[in-house]
């Protein structure tokens, strides 16, 4: 799977789960801004402003997104080598 496709699929999957989580405090527009910033590798400060969240929240979500992509890639790799 191409790297960009893997990242996008991982982020879409993660965002869907988070958007429907009972503790979600961000609107769909904020999620879209956050994901676009992450994919485009924009600085946290710009992302926070665009998504209308604090810089600390943006940094936290960037970390969560990186972990989600890593976890998704590991699951794909395990599935590939277990078959």
């Amino acid at each position: 799977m191409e790297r960009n496709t893997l990242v996008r699929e991982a982020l879409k999957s993660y965002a869907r789960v988070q958007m429907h989580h009972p503790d979600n405090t961000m609107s769909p527009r904020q999620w879209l801004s956050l994901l676009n910033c992450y994919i485009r590798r924009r600085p946290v400060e710009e992302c926070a402003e665009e998504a209308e969240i604090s810089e600390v929240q943006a940094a936290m979500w960037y970390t969560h997104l990186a972990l989600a992509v890593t976890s998704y890639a590991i699951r794909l790799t395990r599935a590939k080598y277990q078959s």
Side-chain angles (χ1 to χ4, degrees), residues 7-22 24 26-28 31-32 34-35 61 65 68 72:
V7 170
R8 289 177 191 274
E9 288 301 313
L11 294 177
K12 281 194 298 188
S13 174
Y14 182 77
R16 279 189 199 113
V17 170
Q18 292 302 315
M19 287 174 71
H20 297 294
H21 193 277
N24 178 37
M26 294 197 308
S27 70
W31 274 104
L32 186 60
L34 178 68
L35 294 174
W61 283 116
L65 294 173
Y72 186 84

Side-chain angles (χ1 to χ4, degrees), residues 16-81:
R16 279 189 199 113
V17 170
Q18 292 302 315
M19 287 174 71
H20 297 294
H21 193 277
D23 295 333
N24 178 37
T25 59
M26 294 197 308
S27 70
R29 189 192 62 73
Q30 287 175 306
W31 274 104
L32 186 60
S33 294
L34 178 68
L35 294 174
N36 285 333
C37 287
Y38 183 81
I39 288 170
R40 293 179 182 136
R41 298 179 184 190
R42 294 183 56 200
V44 171
E45 299 81 20
E46 288 179 27
C47 182
E49 186 177 322
E50 187 175 318
E52 298 173 354
I53 57 178
S54 71
E55 287 184 27
V56 171
Q57 284 178 303
M60 179 201 69
W61 283 116
Y62 267 34
T63 302
H64 283 268
L65 294 173
L67 291 171
V69 171
T70 303
S71 176
Y72 186 84
I74 289 170
R75 283 194 310 272
L76 287 179
T77 302
R78 282 186 179 162
K80 177 181 176 180
Y81 289 106

